[in-house]
């Protein structure tokens, strides 16, 4: 499904729409664009690759989960760093006029815009769960754009506004830690526990016993604040560790057991759903070659 939502790379750096445009790029080769500016706001969400971005002549090496915000008139360009893995990112353009309309609804929609103007801070980082939640909202918007359903225009507007508010809330809460809900402490503890026990039983029941809270409360924290279930997070984390092991040329038949998958069939299906190809195909394409 995600492959159907990909956009072929386009060097065009101006908007055809008067409101917004959004793209999902997943390239096996790096396509660069020379230093440039826009007359609209650009959000660049980095998923995978080996690149740096230059913003007003300052260079930043990007990490998966980084969001880059580029206001109008700011010079920037992206460069590759040596050999790259698949270069995967979302690019979201939104006009100044549309942002002004959102501001008239609520200043909460433009907190990031004003914050960037005051601080010249353009790069923000999401943890894996928060970035997955953000990605889900972006895919929901792209899916609606590609669909042909009743109420399409109204739904697209709701998705755009929801995405903008979601981004601004994330930045505001990162800048104001005290404003986060009390549940964040429990959430952080659960993340650390999961990280250290990937090869063990991580069911909701086991987490409930470990943290002395109900499994429904744990489930609610993840879904309500981050838009993803505990099970989805654990699966993605396990797949990420398996992928890193594959890239290091570890034996696939041992990897899935090391990181908590009970059988190869479930690991195979989850891996192919997440990365679009089988573990063996991924290894043949990207793993380090033996000397």
């Amino acid at each position: 499904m995600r492959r159907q939502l990909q956009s072929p790379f386009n060097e065009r750096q101006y908007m055809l729409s008067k409101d917004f445009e959004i793209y999902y790029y997943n390239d096996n080769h790096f396509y660069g664009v020379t230093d440039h500016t826009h007359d609209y706001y650009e959000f660049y969400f980095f998923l995978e690759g080996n690149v740096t971005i230059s913003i007003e002549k300052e260079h930043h090496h990007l990490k998966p989960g980084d969001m880059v915000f580029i206001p109008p008139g700011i010079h920037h360009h992206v460069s590759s760093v040596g050999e790259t893995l698949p270069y995967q990112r979302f690019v979201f353009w939104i006009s100044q006029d549309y942002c002004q309309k959102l501001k008239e609804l609520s200043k909460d929609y433009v907190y990031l815009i004003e914050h960037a103007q005051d601080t010249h801070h353009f790069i923000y980082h999401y943890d894996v769960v928060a970035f997955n939640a953000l990605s889900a909202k972006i895919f929901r918007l792209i899916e609606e754009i590609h669909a042909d359903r009743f109420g399409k225009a109204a739904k697209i507007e709701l998705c755009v506004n929801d995405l903008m508010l979601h981004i601004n809330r994330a930045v505001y809460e990162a800048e104001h830690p005290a404003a986060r809900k009390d549940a964040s402490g429990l959430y952080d503890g659960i993340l650390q526990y999961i990280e250290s026990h990937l090869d063990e039983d991580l069911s909701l029941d086991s987490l409930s016993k470990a943290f002395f809270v109900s499994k429904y409360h744990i489930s609610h924290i993840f879904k309500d604040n981050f838009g993803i279930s505990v099970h989805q997070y654990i699966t993605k984390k396990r797949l990420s560790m398996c992928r890193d092991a594959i890239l290091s040329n570890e034996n696939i038949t041992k990897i899935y057991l090391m990181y908590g998958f009970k059988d190869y069939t479930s690991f195979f299906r989850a891996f192919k759903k997440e990365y679009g190809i089988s573990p063996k195909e991924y290894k043949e394409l990207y793993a380090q070659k033996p000397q």
Side-chain angles (χ1 to χ4, degrees):
M1 178 61 182
R2 290 187 177 183
R3 288 189 176 184
Q4 298 173 3
L5 302 178
Q6 291 176 203
S7 305
F9 182 72
N10 191 327
E11 293 185 1
R12 172 174 55 85
Q13 296 298 312
Y14 56 88
M15 288 179 61
L16 298 177
S17 166
K18 68 182 182 67
D19 293 330
F20 77 91
E21 295 178 16
I22 190 162
Y23 302 97
Y24 169 41
Y25 294 124
N26 188 5
D27 303 313
N28 288 321
H29 303 283
F30 178 80
Y31 300 98
V33 177
T34 58
D35 192 71
H36 60 282
T37 65
H38 304 136
D39 61 0
Y40 48 83
Y41 298 102
E42 178 176 49
F43 293 87
Y44 171 103
F45 307 96
F46 182 66
L47 287 86
E48 185 179 19
N50 190 12
V51 300
T52 62
I53 188 166
S54 174
I55 305 174
E56 295 291 296
K57 299 184 179 181
E58 290 189 6
H59 304 287
H60 310 270
H61 189 266
L62 295 177
K63 305 185 297 292
D66 282 347
M67 177 186 76
V68 183
F69 172 65
I70 305 293
I74 297 295
H75 285 269
H76 63 284
H77 69 275
V78 177
S79 304
S80 65
V81 181
E83 295 183 5
T84 63
L85 291 171
Y87 178 31
Q88 188 176 181
R89 68 278 189 207
F90 301 112
V91 177
F92 177 45
W93 295 340
I94 187 166
S95 71
Q96 295 185 65
D97 287 344
Y98 195 91
C99 287
Q100 180 59 38
K101 292 178 182 178
L102 289 177
K103 183 177 181 179
E104 292 170 2
L105 294 175
S106 171
K107 290 190 67 176
D108 294 343
Y109 282 109
V110 296
Y111 171 80
L112 172 56
I113 293 173
E114 296 176 349
H115 181 265
Q117 289 173 342
D118 293 338
T119 64
H120 292 275
H121 185 195
F122 302 119
I123 300 180
Y124 303 84
H125 185 72
Y126 287 77
D127 67 35
V128 64
V129 174
F131 198 67
N132 285 336
L134 174 68
S135 298
K137 289 184 179 292
I138 294 172
F139 274 122
R140 192 173 302 126
L141 170 58
I142 297 174
E143 287 169 359
E144 193 64 38
I145 291 171
H146 283 75
D148 186 19
R149 303 178 63 187
F150 174 80
K152 175 178 177 177
K155 182 65 174 180
I156 288 174
E157 183 177 352
L158 288 174
C159 288
V160 170
N161 294 5
D162 179 54
L163 176 60
M164 284 294 291
L165 188 58
H166 184 86
I167 293 168
N168 280 275
R169 173 180 284 181
V171 173
Y172 179 86
E173 291 184 346
E175 298 297 321
H176 302 79
R180 294 182 179 179
K181 294 184 177 180
D182 294 338
S184 63
L186 174 61
Y187 165 72
D188 290 338
I190 294 174
L191 287 189
Q192 293 175 16
Y193 182 87
I194 290 172
E195 183 86 22
S196 302
H197 298 80
L198 282 175
D199 59 336
E200 301 176 17
D201 174 31
L202 289 174
S203 64
L204 273 173
D205 286 329
S206 66
L207 292 174
S208 175
K209 292 177 181 178
F211 288 88
F212 303 100
V213 295
S214 76
K215 60 183 180 181
Y216 304 104
H217 183 55
I218 295 173
S219 180
H220 175 75
I221 288 172
F222 272 78
K223 290 294 288 185
D224 187 53
N225 292 290
F226 302 100
I228 189 172
S229 71
V230 182
H231 174 72
Q232 288 172 315
Y233 170 77
I234 293 169
T235 299
K236 287 179 179 294
K237 190 67 178 177
R238 283 173 168 159
L239 287 171
S240 177
M241 297 300 290
C242 288
R243 183 186 66 170
D244 290 345
I246 289 173
L247 291 175
S248 299
N249 219 33
E250 294 287 344
N251 191 319
I252 294 175
T253 59
K254 297 179 180 179
I255 289 171
Y256 74 91
L257 293 173
M258 291 168 53
Y259 294 109
F261 287 96
K262 295 181 179 180
D263 57 77
Y264 182 76
T265 299
S266 60
F267 164 64
F268 178 91
R269 289 175 178 170
F271 192 96
K272 190 166 186 179
K273 180 179 180 181
E274 184 72 10
Y275 299 113
I277 56 178
S278 71
K280 182 180 179 181
E281 291 170 329
Y282 197 94
K283 183 174 184 177
E284 291 172 349
L285 283 172
Y286 306 120
Q288 299 173 5
K289 304 300 181 184
Q291 297 297 316

